[in-house]
Structures are given as structure tokens and as C-alpha cells.
Amino acid sequence: MRRHYATIKDIARALNISVSTVSRALRDTYDVNAETRQLVLDKAAELHYRPNFNATGLVKNSSHNLAVLLPGITNYYFSTVFTGIQEIAYRHGYNLILHVTNDDAERELNIIRSLSFSSLDGMLVSVSSQADACDHFQEIIDDGVPVVFFDRVAEHVSTSKVMQDDYNGAFEATEHLIAKGYRRIAHIAGPQGLTFTGNRQQGYLDALRKHKLPAQDSWIIHSGFSQDSGYQDFQQLWQLRSKPDAIFAVNDRKAVGAMLAMKEKKIVPGKDVGVIGFTNDPVSAIISPSLSTIAEPAFEIGKVSCQLLLNHIRKKNFIAEEVVLPGKLIERESTQR
Amino acid sequence: MRRHYATIKDIARALNISVSTVSRALRDTYDVNAETRQLVLDKAAELHYRPNFNATGLVKNSSHNLAVLLPGITNYYFSTVFTGIQEIAYRHGYNLILHVTNDDAERELNIIRSLSFSSLDGMLVSVSSQADACDHFQEIIDDGVPVVFFDRVAEHVSTSKVMQDDYNGAFEATEHLIAKGYRRIAHIAGPQGLTFTGNRQQGYLDALRKHKLPAQDSWIIHSGFSQDSGYQDFQQLWQLRSKPDAIFAVNDRKAVGAMLAMKEKKIVPGKDVGVIGFTNDPVSAIISPSLSTIAEPAFEIGKVSCQLLLNHIRKKNFIAEEVVLPGKLIERESTQR
DNA sequence: GGTGTTTTCGGTAACGTTACCGGTGAAATT
DNA sequence: AATTTCACCGGTAACGTTACCGAAAACACC
């Protein structure tokens, strides 16, 4: 059906005044009589007038849209980050266009290619695992589109980035295991090539080195981020001749997967094998034994990212910033002997 | 900085041809020489040309945007529905503008009021708990905006709706508890006033009646949807003189909250008090004992909703449809004695 | 009462794109 | 050779809004 929505022309015609006056009345009180203004406002309400953002965007060369590019939304971390982004965007009257890549590089590329930057004021991006699409982002940035990366950042692209402190978080997690008496510590890692995966692995390795503990290649397993990956990874670890006595998982989902595998083998997390995750997914408090973890400031990351993007949009020649937010160790049962 | 993005005028100027020809070349091959077309395409790629959706939207009177209005995104159900919506939207080249209300009626209203329908082809809505904003939706629909409700529908608004089969799901869940030998069955419900809350409660009541089991007002508790609400609700139930021996929770989160409260009191779910939820949140398989539940077709609901909306947008005089998708009983430990 | 100032409004062009109509030249037809 | 047809292209107006300039009216000033 697509009826004709009321426009300022309709208001002008109904009131027998010019569109310019209506336009002015609808925004600021600038150059318009209070009486006239009220007439316009009343008529606008009567006709259910809503401004046409296509038109305003065209003339002002700015929509009020931000694009958000995410690998997925069905997990605690990203959905919380998004909520943080939304909090700031809402306050400033920006709309969020959410694109989910399903962690698929091809889909990511398709989405990027189909974006219309003229109806977009900026972008918030967490790249997919296969991060070879970086040059495409660089191209966009060179074209003048404000972009802020968070969490999964494209390393060689020069723009603002917001991350949790992956290195120190991993370091702290590993030291916590050591403090609790575990000595043979394995690492269930994420896919190779991602910045934060590398940082967490380095934190883990450096903590081991500091305490002069053995680091074995076979104790580091790279795979996906899913719970199932964690489950598989543990199976693989347990086939080893020299088994670890503790596990630092790159995120809580993988830690949970590992714990589920342990349960099947009657291995008790904490008592038999220490487990620590990363994220502080709500599930870590629900699972039994409960899961120690490094809490990520997901909501905060969303807020900061969005704020940074808005600064970027408003100020010209904005200098790229890198913000690193600290995590926090949360001790639970899975690291108590 | 906001550089000037390349337009078809730039392409026309560079190639010394008219904008009309460029416009035609960029879309269909209609009325344009293959050679010219190629020249345009090459130049467009060279200049990083992207169509300005504000301009196309203005002249074609349709953006390619759909608005999605949700109470929250940080839970399994809504994030999965959204992923389903996105799947269909992506296939058809639609963008999704996601608005999160935080289950706050005022915020919901603010968002609705600020929407520009002229830059929106349709809306997908799950209303907030306090569903008194229904007349606002009716107004929008009367203005000709295609709207599809899902899950939390506004009952008296005449438009398409997509829901899971709340009544039968609740009925089946309650019957399952009865079949497992529980007799004093309580219901931890959602807030009053919501359609699906009422449907689930009715399914529960009818199952009790069918099996001639007692139904007590004090065994039905209305509160929020959160895990914490479930925790509180159980506390309240356990202060009763006549305690129930089983609980049907309106969703898994509340069931989990109740189970956590039980754990504190050394009550074993299943053995002492049967528990069944609704959703099939992944956490229900992780918690111990694992939680029986009614699985909701969340992803499917998203897909169907979006498909319905697209039909609505394309066909004029589209008749409102109501789709009800069946749930599925999943037996786990929390209902085994 | 002429001059300046302010208030209030209208007209026009522009944003980037498409729809529509008209025109040119060449090819096809008789 | 004259006419018709067709492929291809250009010009113009329009979408809804705002920015800018100018003008009319009202008011103030000496």
C-alpha cells in the first residue's frame, strides 16, 4: 500500500505558508514567529509528520546511521558490547545498522562491498576470524569513512581501536593457576592470526617463563571459539602422553566445553584439573563447579568504542586512539583444589 | 574530515557522458551500449563509487532498511531470533536497524517517536513488558507502515504475528511433570499483561485441570524474566506452608535462577523438586542437573517473521497472517526422580 | 519623516539519483 | 532512395529537505 507520508510541503499547503518557514519552524525557533511555529507544530502532529531522513541526509551529507559489523550476536560478549554501543548511540540520536558476518570472511566482504557510506556516518567493526580482508578496511578508511575497531582488531589498519587488556589478563590467569599449585598448564587457544588470540597466548607463555614452568607445543591447541571446539580440544589434550594438570582457555565457552568433556571422563575441574576461562560469561557462574575467569569489560568496550567513533565523526583530523581496558580476575571453584 | 564520495556526476564528468547514461549503465543494461557500460563500470570501480541510498531512497520512496525493535539482545532467544531475521534480510539485500528497548516502555516510546518511516520499509517488533504502547503501534500501521510482531505481540493490533505455540508448549511441559509423578506443580510466570505469559499460564492451568490436580493462586508467581527473578520466586515459594514438588518456569533463565536457589538450600532439582523451563537456552544443557525444557524455534521465528514482512512490503493489500510454530519437549535430568 | 534595524517570511538552488520523454544517427525495410 | 525502425544517449523534472539570499513589514531612532 505504501501510503504517502506527510511532508513539509503538505504542512505548508495546509497552512498556506512556505516550505522554508515550515522547515525552520520544525527545527529551531530561528527566524520564525512563535505563533506560526505553534501552528506548524500542531499541524505536523495532526498529520503524523516525520522528517524524511533520506532528504535531510542528502542535503546535510550525513545520515544518523552507524554500521556495526560483528562476527555473531548470539553470545554474551558481543551482545553485551552491542548493548554498550547502543547505549551511547541512543543518547546521541544515532541509529545502528547491525551486520552479522557469522565469522565468514566471504560474507564479511560481501557486506562491506554493499555498504553505502554516503548513508553512513561511521563504522564499528570486530573482524571475522579469517582476517585477510584488512586491505578492504584500509581502503574504506582512506576514502574518509570513520572506523573504530574493537576486540578483534585489524592490526595493520591505522584507525582507532578498543580492546580489553588481553596480554595482562592472560598473564594474570596463568599466574593464578600457578599460585593455586598447578604446574603443567595447557592453553586452549583461538584461531591463529587474530591479534587478541596472539596476545593471550603471549601472556600465557610469559607467565610460564617467569615462573620457569615448562611450555610444550602440544599443550597449545588452536581451534575455533565455540563450546564444541573446547570439547574437542580437551579430548586431544587427554590423548597426550604427558597430560596437563590445568587449562587456560581463550574464552569461557571453550572452557565450558572442556569441562563438559572432563565430566564425561569423571575428571573433576579444580580438584583434578584446574580450569580458567576468559570473558566472565554468565554461564561461568552457573556451571558446576563454577568457572574461574578473567572478566572482560564488554559493556564498557561498547560504550567507549561508540564514544570514540562519535568524536571521530565530529572532529575533523581526529587522531586515531588505542584504548586498552583492564580485565579482572574472578576466582571460582574450577581453580580450587 | 568527511571527504566527498564519488557520485554518478563525477563518473559522467570523467567520461564526458551524461548522468542519465551513467545511471542506466550502473543498473540494468537497458538502453545502454555494452562498451559504454563497461567504461562506466570501470570508472566507478576506480573512483570507489557507491550508490547514495539517501538519493535512491528519496526518488524510489523506499530505503532498504528494516527496523527491528527488541526488549534486549543479551539473551539466547532474542539474539537467535535476530540471527534468523538477519539471514533472510541479508539474502534480500535489506539492512537491519536494531533498536533495543531494555524492556523499558518509555524508551520504547521514545524510539518509536523518533523513527522516520520514510527511510524505513518495515518493522519487526517484540514489545516490551509493559505493553500499554499498543495504540502507538496501531497508529503506525494505520499510517501504512508494514509491521510484523513476534514473540511478544501486541494483541489488539491488527497485523501479522509470529509466535511459538505457547499454550501447547506449556501444556506439554506441565503434563510431562505430571507423567513423571509430580503432583504439586507451581508456575513461575512472567509479568502480567503479556500475551505469551497468559498463554503459557493457561496451558499450565488446563493441564492441571485435565489431570484433576490442585491449582493454587499462591503457586503462581508473576515477576520479571531474569534469572534473579526466578531466584526470588523460589524463595517466595519455599516460604509457603504448602510447598510444591515441581516448578514450571516461564523460561529457562527463571528456571535456572530457581535451581540456583534450590542448590543453596540443598534441594536437588529432579529428585526433590522437578523443574522444567521454556526456551532451550544452551545453559539448560550445561547446568547440573541439566534442565528439561520446551525448545522454542527461535531461529525459525526470526526467518518466518522477516519473510512475512518482506511479503507484506512487496504485495499491496497483504492480509495479516498469524503464524504459530510448535515447540518441542526436551527431557533432561531436572525432571527425573 | 526619512533612515536604519529587526523580525519574519518567501523564493531558489542544491544534495544524488531515477523516470520519462525526446532526439540523433545508423541500420533495416520497402 | 525514401521511409521506417531501432539502439543509444541527453535533458529535465522530481523526490523532501535545508541553506542562502532577498524582501516586506514593523519598529526604533534622531
Side-chain angles (χ1 to χ4, degrees), chain B residues 140-272:
Chain B
I140 289 171
I141 293 165
D142 290 342
D143 282 351
V145 182
V147 176
V148 171
F149 285 107
F150 62 91
D151 188 46
R152 304 196 193 171
V153 304
E155 204 156 359
H156 301 296
V157 178
S158 58
T159 188
S160 288
K161 295 162 191 174
V162 180
M163 301 153 280
Q164 52 278 345
D165 193 338
D166 294 305
Y167 176 84
N168 282 313
F171 193 93
E172 199 177 348
T174 311
E175 267 203 321
H176 172 66
L177 286 172
I178 297 169
K180 287 294 175 179
Y182 303 100
R183 288 290 172 270
R184 305 163 57 78
I185 302 172
H187 179 36
I188 294 183
Q192 256 155 335
L194 237 43
T195 312
F196 86 94
T197 296
N199 288 341
R200 290 185 192 178
Q201 183 174 333
Q202 199 55 51
Y204 155 79
L205 287 173
D206 287 358
L208 290 186
R209 186 168 318 130
K210 177 181 170 192
H211 293 274
K212 309 212 192 313
L213 287 177
Q216 297 187 21
D217 277 352
S218 59
W219 283 356
I220 301 181
I221 301 183
H222 292 275
S223 69
F225 286 120
S226 70
Q227 181 180 310
D228 199 51
S229 299
Y231 182 92
Q232 306 284 354
D233 291 355
F234 183 79
Q235 306 283 5
Q236 191 177 328
L237 275 178
W238 222 241
Q239 281 170 6
L240 257 42
R241 213 169 304 149
S242 74
K243 299 182 172 43
D245 67 353
I247 294 172
F248 163 50
V250 73
N251 68 12
D252 286 351
R253 271 175 295 155
K254 294 195 75 167
V256 166
M259 284 169 75
L260 260 36
M262 289 161 72
K263 186 180 277 186
E264 283 183 8
K265 296 191 190 313
K266 305 291 179 199
I267 301 165
V268 180
K271 193 163 156 292
D272 300 330

Side-chain angles (χ1 to χ4, degrees), chain B residues 312-324:
Chain B
H312 202 319
I313 291 169
R314 278 162 196 179
K315 291 169 197 156
K316 41 195 74 189
N317 297 329
F318 182 76
I319 314 146
E321 277 182 41
E322 294 206 5
V323 180
V324 177

